[in-house]
Amino acid sequence: MVKISDFQTKEVVNILDGKRLGHISDLEIDLRHGRVEAIVVPGPGKFLGFFSSGNDFVIPWRNIVKIGKDVVLVRIEETLRVEARTSGEDYRG
């Protein structure tokens, strides 16, 4: 069993180019099916998820290659970004 706090300490690295994307700040969870859909990594220039233009990397769970002790290896062929979410967004669908 893994806790969200355990994920937040791991660095995310793209195996295709070796680029360090940052640390996991959030998870997108499908509550209907009880599964993690994606991990969220703050975009460049953010500090602990704050103080940036509002773009995050949203990496689908299927793009995770390996979860290690200190790092999460992902396979991203093109940069995945989404606009910052509004604080009132509801994930209950």
Side-chain angles (χ1 to χ4, degrees):
M1 181 108 29
V2 178
K3 299 177 190 174
I4 182 71
S5 58
D6 294 335
F7 269 114
Q8 291 174 320
T9 63
K10 298 178 189 301
E11 188 167 20
V12 179
V13 176
N14 186 356
I15 64 169
L16 296 180
D17 61 8
K19 182 176 179 184
R20 295 177 176 176
L21 302 176
H23 289 82
I24 298 170
S25 64
D26 208 350
L27 299 175
E28 288 188 356
I29 300 172
D30 178 346
L31 295 178
R32 285 190 181 147
H33 297 101
R35 63 180 170 227
V36 176
E37 291 291 319
I39 59 174
V40 180
V41 178
K46 282 196 176 181
F47 177 71
L48 298 175
F50 302 104
F51 312 119
S52 183
S53 61
N55 292 329
D56 294 330
F57 296 108
V58 178
I59 303 166
W61 190 259
R62 67 183 174 273
N63 288 59
I64 296 175
V65 175
K66 181 77 173 173
I67 299 172
K69 181 179 175 188
D70 300 318
V71 71
V72 176
L73 300 176
V74 297
R75 180 183 303 267
I76 303 296
E77 293 189 25
E78 60 184 55
T79 304
L80 301 176
R81 289 179 181 248
V82 295
E83 292 301 314
R85 294 170 199 84
T86 61
S87 59
E89 189 169 333
D90 188 357
Y91 286 101
R92 289 178 272 176

